[in-house]
């Protein structure tokens, strides 16, 4: 993508692990930015300017259809997304020790 999100983990010795890309389920062809994990650690929020494929392909045939698509998510105007943050633990390198 143009601007991907990464995560780094703090090691037991207070250094940081190498950054790990959050993967294609988070990072798309657009710019993903402004990541935030909820205080309870359950959710990852981020902003993306990804564009729905229907806006770039031939699926939208009329001006009315285009307006409906353009006024919804996936229009390239930085929508806010949220996902369950459990996947982050699977990205944690083995050499990073828990505190």
């Amino acid at each position: 993508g143009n601007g991907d999100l990464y995560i780094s983990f703090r090691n037991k010795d207070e250094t940081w692990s190498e950054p790990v890309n959050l993967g294609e389920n988070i990072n798309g062809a657009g710019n993903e930015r402004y990541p935030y994990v909820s205080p309870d650690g359950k959710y990852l929020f981020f902003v993306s300017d990804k564009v729905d494929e229907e806006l770039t392909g031939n699926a939208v045939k009329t001006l009315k259809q285009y307006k409906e698509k353009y006024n919804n998510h996936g229009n390239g105007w930085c929508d806010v997304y949220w996902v369950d943050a459990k996947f982050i633990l699977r990205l944690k390198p083995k050499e990073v020790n828990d505190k």
Side-chain angles (χ1 to χ4, degrees):
N2 294 324
D4 286 354
L5 295 180
Y6 288 76
I7 189 167
S8 185
F9 298 91
R10 188 168 33 181
N11 297 307
K12 195 172 187 177
D13 66 358
E14 301 296 321
T15 61
W16 291 91
S17 70
E18 289 294 317
V20 177
N21 189 295
L22 292 186
E24 63 185 27
N25 289 333
I26 301 296
N27 296 312
N31 290 303
E32 285 68 42
R33 52 190 168 238
Y34 311 123
Y36 176 77
V37 176
S38 61
D40 60 9
K42 291 183 179 182
Y43 303 101
L44 168 68
F45 296 87
F46 63 97
V47 172
S48 177
D49 64 1
K50 55 182 105 183
V51 177
D52 189 311
E53 290 179 15
E54 290 185 10
L55 282 172
T56 59
N58 293 324
V60 177
K61 303 288 185 195
T62 68
L63 181 58
K64 181 180 177 185
Q65 290 173 321
Y66 182 79
K67 284 180 179 179
E68 286 174 3
K69 284 291 181 188
Y70 196 75
N71 288 318
N72 284 308
H73 68 295
N75 61 12
W77 286 88
C78 292
D79 297 312
V80 176
Y81 293 85
W82 64 274
V83 296
D84 189 313
K86 289 179 186 175
F87 80 96
I88 292 173
L89 294 176
R90 292 191 300 268
L91 298 174
K92 194 172 189 178
K94 288 184 172 91
E95 64 270 7
V96 174
N97 296 314
D98 290 332
K99 291 186 172 193

